């Protein structure tokens, strides 16, 4: 096996960290630490989102009576609108109002 002599100083400085086992292992550990930090940040962001969703759900459940009243009113208003538009619909079909 032949050994290669790198004569370019810039190339040897760029390749030295890849050749030295200690430096390469430190570089790998730094890369793994950066990945772990990124994963931890993503997990923390997800947990904040879940906590916010849980807070909204808790608030909604505490206002359950209000939500039922609002739903009943919305249904009643929709029924009233449908009944108000009924004569107009009949005019279009038969030509006279009911």
């Amino acid at each position: 096996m032949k050994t290669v002599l790198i004569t370019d100083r810039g190339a040897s400085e760029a390749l030295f960290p890849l050749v030295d086992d200690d430096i390469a292992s430190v570089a790998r550990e730094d890369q793994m630490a950066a990945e772990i930090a990124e994963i931890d940040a993503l997990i923390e962001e997800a947990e904040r989102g879940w906590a916010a969703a849980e807070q909204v759900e808790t608030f909604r459940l505490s206002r359950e009576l209000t939500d039922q009243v609002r739903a009943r009113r919305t249904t009643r208003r929709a029924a009233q609108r449908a009944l108000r538009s009924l004569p107009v619909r009949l005019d279009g079909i038969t030509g006279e109002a009911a």
Side-chain angles (χ1 to χ4, degrees):
M1 185 170 165
K2 294 184 179 180
T3 58
V4 178
L5 180 64
I6 300 174
T7 57
D8 184 21
R9 183 170 177 83
S12 65
E13 287 177 359
L15 293 174
F16 181 71
L18 300 175
V19 176
D20 190 16
D21 290 335
D22 292 334
I23 294 174
S25 66
V26 169
R28 280 192 300 272
E29 289 174 3
D30 288 344
Q31 185 180 14
M32 287 189 307
E35 289 177 3
I36 290 171
E38 184 178 348
I39 291 169
D40 287 343
L42 290 172
I43 290 172
E44 186 175 327
E45 181 181 344
E47 287 176 348
R48 280 194 307 260
W50 292 328
E54 183 178 349
Q55 185 179 12
V56 168
E57 184 67 19
T58 302
F59 179 77
R60 190 186 68 77
L61 289 175
S62 71
R63 305 291 185 198
E64 186 175 337
L65 180 62
T66 306
D67 288 344
Q68 288 176 355
V69 170
R70 183 177 293 154
R72 190 171 46 242
R73 287 178 183 164
T74 303
T75 304
R76 188 175 62 224
R77 287 180 186 138
Q80 288 173 349
R81 267 189 254 120
L83 287 175
R84 282 189 210 120
S85 69
L86 189 60
V88 175
R89 289 182 187 168
L90 290 177
D91 281 343
I93 296 173
T94 61
E96 58 185 57

